[in-house]
Amino acid sequence: NQTFTFKTFALTGAGWQNIDVVIPTVAVSVNSNDVNLAAPTATVSFVFSEAPTSFALADIAATGGVLSNLAMVDATHYTATFTAAAGTDIGSAKVSVTNASWSDNNGAAGAGGATGSFVVDTVTPSVLVTIDSSDVNVAAPTATVSFAFSEAPTSFVLGDTTATGGVLSNLAMVDATHYTATFTANAGTDIGNAKVSVTGASWSEANVNAGTG
């Protein structure tokens, strides 16, 4: 038979030490999925799993805009204002916290976090109006008017247009960004300033930005 000897060891030293092997995390969210001309700002929220010892704008990156007004709500919650960049039209805007840019009270470096992609559209949509005749007369009393939009309008009707020297009819969609209509000259009219125009802000595109005239 084999004989086993058991020994008991006592823990000595300064006592129990704090052990923290959990990587702190942050969840980032934004309260709008479409930041546009009508609503050019959004609120970004940061929720930390553990309170950061320090958290500043320099720890954050933004695509499609800039951040400001970083404020602490409580030890683990912060907010900031996202302001869309001018002249921007992207579907990949994002706000992210840089990995290891912050740490918790135990010195553990925090993980990065980011919002999902959202839309930033601060480009004013426009429309180009042309006519296929410079002289609508008794022999040729009609002309075709073409409307070319920079972005597809969600709705476009004759009520969004005005005509001087005649009337419009037969508005038709050629494709999402191109329409045509028929201009018919008014009887008994002799002017050199006939015109067809689209009323400013009478139409908008999918991101609800109002179009120019």
Side-chain angles (χ1 to χ4, degrees):
N1 295 329
Q2 293 181 325
T3 300
F4 295 92
T5 300
F6 295 93
K7 295 182 178 181
T8 301
F9 295 89
L11 179 66
T12 61
W16 294 103
Q17 299 297 310
N18 183 47
I19 298 175
D20 184 356
V21 293
V22 176
I23 297 174
T25 60
V26 59
V28 188
S29 60
V30 64
N31 72 341
S32 174
N33 61 6
D34 184 359
V35 187
N36 52 52
L37 290 170
T41 64
T43 298
V44 183
S45 298
F46 307 88
V47 180
F48 294 87
S49 62
E50 300 183 51
T53 56
S54 175
F55 183 55
L57 287 174
D59 301 325
I60 314 166
T63 303
V66 294
L67 289 183
S68 62
N69 304 324
L70 182 65
M72 183 175 74
V73 179
D74 57 37
T76 57
H77 294 78
Y78 288 71
T79 61
T81 301
F82 175 91
T83 302
T88 301
D89 188 359
I90 59 174
S92 56
K94 185 177 291 187
V95 175
S96 57
V97 174
T98 305
N99 185 56
S101 66
W102 63 283
S103 60
D104 67 8
N105 286 325
N106 294 319
T115 64
S117 295
F118 58 94
V119 171
V120 168
D121 186 355
T122 55
V123 176
T124 302
S126 60
V127 59
L128 176 66
V129 186
T130 58
I131 190 167
D132 69 347
S133 174
S134 60
D135 185 1
V136 184
N137 50 51
V138 173
T142 64
T144 297
V145 181
S146 297
F147 306 89
F149 294 87
S150 62
E151 300 184 55
T154 54
S155 175
F156 182 57
V157 297
L158 286 175
D160 300 324
T161 66
T162 58
T164 303
V167 294
L168 289 182
S169 61
N170 303 324
L171 181 65
M173 184 174 74
V174 179
D175 58 38
T177 57
H178 294 81
Y179 288 70
T180 61
T182 301
F183 175 89
T184 302
N186 288 332
T189 301
D190 186 2
I191 59 174
N193 62 342
K195 184 181 293 186
V196 174
S197 58
V198 174
T199 305
S202 66
W203 62 282
S204 60
E205 37 88 290
N207 292 322
V208 304
N209 290 325
T212 63

